[in-house]
Amino acid sequence: MKENFIINIGREFGSGGREIGQKLALLLQIPYYDRELIRIASRESGLGEEFFEKADEKRPFSLFGAVTGPKGSLTDDLFTGYYLSDETLFKIQSDIIRSLAEKKSSVFVGRCADYILKDQPGCLNVFIYAPVDARVARIAAIQNLPTGKAKALIDKTDKRRAEYYNYFTGKKWGSPASYHFCIDSSLLGVDGTADLIRSIAESKFGLPAKP
Amino acid sequence: MKENFIINIGREFGSGGREIGQKLALLLQIPYYDRELIRIASRESGLGEEFFEKADEKRPFSLFGAVTGPKGSLTDDLFTGYYLSDETLFKIQSDIIRSLAEKKSSVFVGRCADYILKDQPGCLNVFIYAPVDARVARIAAIQNLPTGKAKALIDKTDKRRAEYYNYFTGKKWGSPASYHFCIDSSLLGVDGTADLIRSIAESKFGLPAKP
């Protein structure tokens, strides 16, 4: 094979995107990265793990937010400090994603990896979604929550993901134009969707089909 | 096989969606309907063909449009007449789409068929898009137009399609949540995309895989 191929997965919360990414990585026998990536980034950069956790998929403070925030009178230095910190964390994560993608064919879930690797030719960018009822049922079951709380958690998480993605990429989270391919995971289920993405990757990257 | 299956394709202008629908119908050996549907509708309903052509994927007059239109003083009767005509045409097309879908497994391109057949269980709803540069190049080549004119035609056509779809379905044209599956046709090309949808249909509907 000539070069590495990368599958980047964006996903609505509760759509099973993470599990699909894991199954896909197993099917293709390549590494999978999502939250684990934060820990790798943490270790490689020497920065504290909880600092990364805090910055993980949260949009940086905006000028508007900083000025009208609880303190009301942040100095320019303090503002710049906060702002650059989050930008810097994104940059560190980006360097690590690029370095991992150079080493091995991989599956990345979240973290704007599609954007970070946009200059790498061998990328397949996928978005996974599902009807809200299916997502509420999934999250309620997995996290043992009443449906109202599951719905609130979904709304909050997806809002945060969209803000993070839109801020750093200049693209629109969950909009088809930002991806090669979007699929409702309730169409074929977790295994069926993973298998479909595998077959698309085989077509796109000319991989030998697995039995 | 138990019952008919239907594949409904929405598409951006210039994405090759129509050609993909035609190839898919050939692969599955089932009928394909798009503009042809208008003629069938015309013949079956006894209404004039050019009347259907006029109403084809144009949104009905809005109250706002009618009141502020060039005549400025449309009567209620005239307004209602126009309004109901387009609604009626949509209803006739809907009846025919439902009747065709009952008779045979089919591929429908456009015409809000996904919405019209929403109560039929065996539907796969797909949206096909492509980067704007690829669409401009395609339309410029097919219609022998300069790129500026091709771009203007794409914008105008997609605006009209979105208005038509959003008006009649209450869903959002081109938004993943309105479909099971959205794909950039430049990922696998016309043949590759048709073949992918065929394999998804085989999974979803339990069809015997074709060699």
Side-chain angles (χ1 to χ4, degrees), chain A residues 187, chain B residues 6-8 122-126 180-181 197 200-201 204-205:
Chain A
L187 177 67
Chain B
I6 303 295
I7 300 166
N8 298 307
C123 281
L124 175 64
N125 302 327
V126 181
H180 291 114
F181 172 69
I197 301 172
I200 294 173
K204 181 173 163 68
F205 302 124

Side-chain angles (χ1 to χ4, degrees), chain B residues 96-167:
Chain B
I96 288 162
I97 287 172
R98 271 189 290 262
S99 138
L100 290 166
E102 254 171 48
K103 277 185 216 138
K104 272 190 177 179
S105 296
S106 306
V107 174
F108 292 98
V109 171
R111 275 71 194 167
C112 306
D114 57 333
Y115 174 77
I116 291 162
L117 300 173
K118 68 183 189 305
D119 297 324
Q120 175 150 341
C123 281
L124 175 64
N125 302 327
V126 181
F127 187 76
I128 295 168
Y129 58 101
V132 71
D133 289 353
R135 294 190 288 135
V136 167
R138 185 183 170 89
I139 293 301
I142 290 173
Q143 305 210 5
N144 195 24
L145 288 173
T147 54
K149 288 210 170 164
K151 175 70 167 61
L153 183 60
I154 285 170
D155 290 346
K156 192 180 146 195
T157 307
D158 280 353
K159 185 168 180 284
R160 205 184 59 198
R161 285 180 182 175
E163 282 176 351
Y164 180 83
Y165 185 88
N166 298 352
Y167 178 86

